[in-house]
Amino acid sequence: MSGITAIDVTKRFNGFTALHDVSVTIPEGSLTALLGPSGSGKSTLLRVIAGLEEPDAGQVLIGSEDVTERPARARGVGMVFQHYAAFKHMTVYDNVAFGLTIRKRPRAEIGRRVHELLELVQLEGLAKRYPAQLSGGQRQRMALARALAVEPSVLLLDEPFGALDARVRKELRAWLRRLHDEVHVTTIIVTHDQEEAMEVAGQIVVLNDGRIEQVGSPRELYDSPANEFVMTFVGPVNRLGETFVRPHDVELRLEPDEGSVEAMVERVVHLGFEARVELVRDDGQHLLAQLTQEEAEQLELERGQIVYVRSSRETVFSEAARHPDQPRSG
């Protein structure tokens, strides 16, 4: 198990700069998410760390060793992609055993390791099945077992759940978190899904246009965003001119009070323990409010109802944070 450090990494493709002097530290044993929109550079950074892309400048360290010039096979890295290319003619057991087999490990060791991993990823009863006989979620768990079989120093996951339906993705997020708590391998997961990053990762690296906007815990990014981009990308937000307000910081009242403005309820969506209320203010601005079900029931909200809104917390960024000229690294 090793930490990962990228130092001033730059990567260009045919004149396009995908990464601009990116520096970031992934702590040993952590589960870190690289989060950003399409084209932000997150997968490129992962591939540079893996050795699948060579940086035009900068260094990559795994532990204390500079691996910038090493090929991928010599970096001790396990990788899982969104579309996992399993060996279709091999059983689940043989797929997981593949890396150990080509390394000519003793048969007894291979058997012991594969059975441990299949139990860990909850596939112990499916060892004799073929990939075509597995669900999408089961195939990804097999992919993770195969990546872990050779005991990599780091585990790199590139949108591993992106091709799965929402219910299975949610199940696998919780499963991945539990798996990491057991194996403690330094892990990076690439995702464009904010909820996924917030749910599984202890540290999130937010990228945009090939630069790091902010590095921090999910709570730090949500409560103390460094700039407009992070505020609007990490979690829902209302924008009122230069002011930003999270939906859970929007308060609704049936009677006007100091600082409140009039708004009309356009829609109420009940989602389990919470209710999301879509509103339009008297100045035409649209707002989203997030209430508990108890709060929503007390207000008896209906479409077309007039309510009074105010914010309990507002965020306003400085000119530098709104229009940053320099890359932000962490």
Side-chain angles (χ1 to χ4, degrees):
M1 183 171 65
S2 304
I4 304 165
T5 307
I7 304 171
D8 299 331
V9 170
T10 294
K11 179 62 184 176
R12 303 181 186 89
F13 296 100
N14 299 320
F16 169 73
T17 304
L19 295 172
H20 300 259
D21 296 322
V22 168
S23 295
V24 67
T25 297
I26 311 299
E28 181 177 350
S30 70
L31 200 170
T32 294
L34 302 184
L35 175 66
S38 297
S40 61
K42 56 189 185 296
S43 288
T44 301
L45 178 57
L46 192 82
R47 291 175 64 84
V48 167
I49 290 169
L52 300 176
E53 298 286 355
E54 185 177 343
D56 293 292
Q59 293 176 286
V60 175
L61 279 64
I62 296 180
S64 59
E65 297 184 33
D66 187 341
V67 298
T68 312
E69 304 296 328
R70 287 189 198 172
R73 64 180 180 276
R75 294 193 182 191
V77 167
M79 283 206 71
V80 177
F81 299 93
Q82 180 179 139
H83 299 286
Y84 178 63
F87 294 115
K88 298 177 182 179
H89 64 288
M90 290 185 181
T91 64
V92 169
Y93 179 99
D94 290 333
N95 265 281
V96 175
F98 180 77
L100 297 169
T101 302
I102 62 174
R103 287 168 173 77
K104 302 189 186 311
R105 298 284 178 82
R107 181 174 297 181
E109 179 188 333
I110 293 174
R112 183 173 62 254
R113 179 68 175 155
V114 171
H115 284 299
E116 285 175 357
L117 286 166
L118 291 180
E119 183 176 358
L120 186 65
V121 301
Q122 302 167 4
L123 294 176
E124 59 270 29
L126 306 178
K128 294 182 179 180
R129 290 195 184 182
Y130 290 87
Q133 297 173 302
L134 303 178
S135 68
Q138 288 170 337
R139 282 196 293 273
Q140 285 302 78
R141 296 210 303 270
M142 181 184 72
L144 281 159
R146 178 174 164 176
L148 289 168
V150 296
E151 299 180 322
S153 58
V154 300
L155 182 63
L156 307 178
L157 313 176
D158 194 359
E159 304 257 15
F161 310 140
L164 305 174
D165 66 53
R167 181 184 63 81
V168 176
R169 281 205 311 271
K170 195 162 186 67
E171 290 174 357
L172 286 180
R173 288 176 203 161
W175 174 82
L176 177 62
R177 184 73 251 181
R178 291 193 301 270
L179 177 70
H180 181 264
D181 289 343
E182 290 194 41
V183 298
H184 298 292
V185 174
T186 305
T187 302
I188 302 177
I189 180 171
V190 164
T191 181
H192 63 270
D193 185 325
Q194 300 93 324
E195 184 179 337
E196 184 167 275
M198 302 281 277
E199 193 169 320
V200 304
Q203 172 177 270
I204 299 175
V205 180
V206 181
L207 290 103
N208 185 39
D209 290 334
R211 294 184 170 92
I212 292 176
E213 299 283 349
Q214 189 173 356
V215 180
S217 69
R219 184 166 184 175
E220 287 169 341
L221 297 182
Y222 192 83
D223 291 342
S224 304
N227 53 46
E228 277 190 21
F229 177 82
V230 178
M231 182 93 198
T232 56
F233 192 75
V234 179
V237 68
N238 299 295
R239 179 166 185 171
L240 304 170
E242 299 298 336
T243 301
F244 297 84
V245 182
R246 294 288 188 196
H248 61 78
D249 290 324
V250 176
E251 297 179 348
L252 304 187
R253 298 286 186 270
L254 297 179
E255 299 293 336
D257 59 8
E258 186 178 354
S260 68
V261 296
E262 188 176 286
M264 184 180 72
V265 176
E266 291 191 311
R267 188 172 181 232
V268 181
V269 181
H270 295 277
L271 298 167
F273 69 92
E274 72 176 29
R276 296 182 186 176
V277 186
E278 297 174 13
L279 305 142
V280 58
R281 297 199 327 174
D282 56 1
D283 60 2
Q285 288 272 2
H286 289 269
L287 283 177
L288 179 66
Q290 183 177 319
L291 310 177
T292 65
Q293 285 290 1
E294 183 180 358
E295 289 170 333
E297 288 170 5
Q298 288 175 351
L299 292 168
E300 298 180 339
L301 298 172
E302 296 179 354
R303 180 183 172 88
Q305 181 179 354
I306 298 300
V307 294
Y308 297 87
V309 303
R310 69 176 185 180
S311 56
S312 60
R313 180 183 179 190
E314 299 178 344
T315 301
V316 179
F317 294 102
S318 67
E319 185 69 18
R322 291 203 305 272
H323 306 290
D325 296 318
Q326 299 298 324
R328 290 150 303 284
S329 297

